[in-house]
Amino acid sequence: MTPSECLFCRIAQRQLPARIAGEEDGLLAFEDVNPQAPVHLLIIPTEHLPTLADATPAHTPLLGRTVQFANRLARERGLGTDGYRLVVNCGAKAGQSVFHLHWHLLGGRSFQWPPG
Ligand code: AMP
């Protein structure tokens, strides 16, 4: 899939609309169109990376910054005390449906474990 065909690349390039929640160098957060919780953001690298399994050692700084970015977004939304869930579905069998790496940041309700 080329970046021009990738839904989340097109959102990153502002070719498709999204409710942007924040951005920083190489990362973008926007609201999930089908939220599963009162807070449901998607965090993506602006670089096209199909799945988490495609991350190389060169991506380690980006992945670390993703966690810091998620923590900041969660704090800004008042989730710092109650807690939140940060999820990556890696591959079709794990439930990944959009093949551009994304992290789900979910909060504002209670969650069960295991997720099912
Ligand atoms: P996953 O199943 O982990 O690949 O998650 C894909 C997520 O992308 C789902 O939660 C969808 O609701 C969400 N999604 C799909 N299209 C859009 C879109 N255009 N804008 C925002 N979220 C989207």
Side-chain angles (χ1 to χ4, degrees), residues 7-8 11 16-19 30-36 40 42 87-91 94-100 102 104:
L7 179 65
F8 288 175
I11 287 176
L16 286 177
R19 296 182 65 177
F30 53 94
E31 294 184 16
D32 196 294
V33 76
N34 182 22
Q36 302 301 310
H40 187 171
L42 300 175
V87 177
V88 178
N89 297 323
C90 180
Q96 185 174 3
S97 61
V98 177
F99 283 80
H100 179 130
H102 52 280
H104 297 258

Side-chain angles (χ1 to χ4, degrees), residues 94-113:
Q96 185 174 3
S97 61
V98 177
F99 283 80
H100 179 130
L101 172 61
H102 52 280
W103 305 59
H104 297 258
L105 172 61
L106 298 137
R109 69 169 173 85
S110 296
F111 298 94
Q112 304 302 314
W113 190 265

